[in-house]
Amino acid sequence: MKIGVVVFPGSNCDHDALYAAEKVLGQEAVAIWHDSTDLRGAEAIILPGGFSYGDYLRTGAIARFSPVMTALQRFARDGNPVLGICNGFQILCESGLLPGALLRNAGLRFACRQVHLRVETTDTIATNACQPGQVLRIPIAHGEGNYFADAGTLERLRREQRVVFRYCDEAGEITPASNPNGSVDNIAGICNEGRNVVGLMPHPERAVEAGLGSADGLPVLRSLLNAPVLSAATRLHTPAQGV
Amino acid sequence: MKAYVTVSLKKTVLDPQGKAIQAALQKMGHSGLSEVRQGKYFELVLAPELTQEQARAQVEKAAREVLTNPVMEEYSIRWE
């Protein structure tokens, strides 16, 4: 599978994602500069972590208007796999591809440590290679990871089983103490209606080898490879100009 | 013409920064300040050739679509 990693000015986990895709998963990986108007024929897209545009205005708020996002919107709406990690998740929320928003951490501190996540559904492009209820140990590194959505949206996410990951303790219990940032309902990741767009705050690409402290991010990234590959015509579609 | 746009978190959204500031103020003896909410402030200078109507439309659109994330924020505009 050809995996594209979008690079914004200020992205800083793009190389981790490219490394994971190419060296660990053994796939073809391409970097896609934010100015690009196409996705270089990629069959799956990762929006990596970092501080796109210095987090100015709001996290992900300016990246959302990058030229590449027009192509990405189309790619996502056509049902192709898109994984947004950390800042990538924030960009997906800002662009409306995922509901809700990420607020400042409740404790106001930048949270950088290993956390435990429980896989809440395996019916997404990022969890189909995981076990239901599987507990993953994956690092977080963010200042704005406090997931928020209004009551109606939350109700809908729950009803449609679109909460993909929740922060939990080592045993898989969802507890207030295991919530690192104040996210409503311990939500760490969600998906769209089509289940082909997934965003999460933790960094699976930083947990792909034992030497990194954990390899629990692997089943998440490996899930991308099982996503249905749509026709080349769809992938190579040239998007209309403009935002 | 100038537009002053104030963006703040919706009342229903927790503002941890405002809370931390309020707690600090309390410690400094500002016991009368029972709540603090932090927001953002933008000054937009309008090109002189715009009509008032065009200016208003443009500022409204910018405030609604870019300066604010409607999921968590709201805005108000003051004109001068």
Side-chain angles (χ1 to χ4, degrees):
Chain A
M1 177 179 262
K2 189 169 177 178
I3 298 178
V5 177
V6 178
V7 184
F8 297 96
S11 293
N12 66 8
C13 301
D14 43 335
H15 283 273
D16 306 58
L18 288 164
Y19 174 87
E22 202 167 52
K23 308 284 190 227
V24 184
L25 296 181
Q27 306 298 310
E28 187 185 351
V30 288
I32 304 167
W33 184 233
H34 72 116
D35 257 348
S36 173
T37 52
D38 68 66
L39 301 176
R40 299 188 62 187
E43 295 157 306
I45 291 289
I46 296 176
L47 293 184
F51 301 86
S52 57
Y53 296 90
D55 277 353
Y56 293 170
L57 188 59
R58 294 179 303 278
T59 56
I62 298 179
R64 168 199 163 191
F65 296 107
S66 280
V68 74
M69 290 303 289
T70 308
L72 185 87
Q73 286 266 357
R74 166 86 196 202
F75 182 83
R77 297 205 191 281
D78 284 345
N80 295 288
V82 176
L83 177 64
I85 300 168
C86 195
N87 189 222
F89 183 16
Q90 295 163 338
I91 295 168
L92 289 173
C93 287
E94 277 285 340
S95 65
L97 283 167
L98 290 174
L102 293 140
L103 306 176
R104 184 64 63 100
N105 291 350
L108 289 175
R109 290 196 175 188
F110 189 92
C112 186
R113 62 171 189 265
Q114 294 277 357
V115 297
H116 292 93
L117 299 181
R118 193 170 78 189
V119 176
E120 299 292 285
T121 168
T122 55
D123 181 20
T124 77
I125 54 97
T127 50
N128 60 55
C130 302
Q131 299 300 315
Q134 187 175 353
V135 176
L136 307 172
R137 190 163 160 272
I138 287 182
I140 54 167
H142 60 247
E144 276 103 356
N146 180 351
Y147 184 75
F148 170 83
D150 62 47
T153 305
L154 280 177
E155 216 300 289
R156 192 164 165 214
L157 287 175
R158 284 187 206 117
R159 193 175 61 238
E160 295 174 358
Q161 298 182 326
R162 285 164 55 193
V163 176
V164 182
F165 301 102
R166 291 169 81 198
Y167 299 108
C168 64
D169 64 17
E170 210 172 339
E173 294 298 320
I174 308 293
T175 62
S178 56
N179 186 341
N181 52 30
S183 290
V184 61
D185 229 5
N186 282 41
I187 290 174
I190 57 167
C191 69
N192 68 342
E193 267 181 293
R195 315 189 82 79
N196 63 305
V197 178
V198 172
L200 78 165
M201 287 313 298
H203 286 273
E205 84 289 6
R206 292 193 193 173
V208 292
E209 289 170 339
L212 293 172
S214 168
D216 285 0
L218 271 180
V220 175
L221 297 175
R222 204 178 278 132
S223 294
L224 285 175
L225 311 183
N226 299 329
V229 170
L230 302 180
S231 71
T234 305
R235 294 199 313 274
L236 299 175
H237 173 80
T238 309
Q241 295 298 307
V243 174
Chain B
M1 194 159 50
K2 256 181 163 181
Y4 301 91
V5 182
T6 305
V7 175
S8 49
L9 286 172
K10 286 179 179 171
K11 294 285 171 272
T12 50
V13 176
L14 178 75
D15 175 12
Q17 292 184 98
K19 278 200 157 196
I21 294 164
Q22 195 260 342
L25 287 168
Q26 285 265 332
K27 273 187 212 149
M28 293 163 67
H30 296 276
S31 55
L33 306 176
S34 57
E35 192 184 0
V36 176
R37 295 190 62 87
Q38 183 178 333
K40 287 179 196 151
Y41 166 73
F42 303 86
E43 285 184 20
L44 310 181
V45 179
L46 281 299
E49 63 269 21
L50 293 185
T51 65
Q52 257 202 14
E53 204 168 282
Q54 287 170 327
R56 277 175 199 282
Q58 201 157 337
V59 170
E60 277 282 345
K61 190 169 157 61
R64 194 175 58 240
E65 294 179 3
V66 182
L67 301 182
T68 317
N69 178 340
V71 174
M72 56 183 177
E73 295 169 327
E74 55 198 12
Y75 65 89
S76 62
I77 302 171
R78 185 170 65 78
W79 292 91
E80 202 171 85

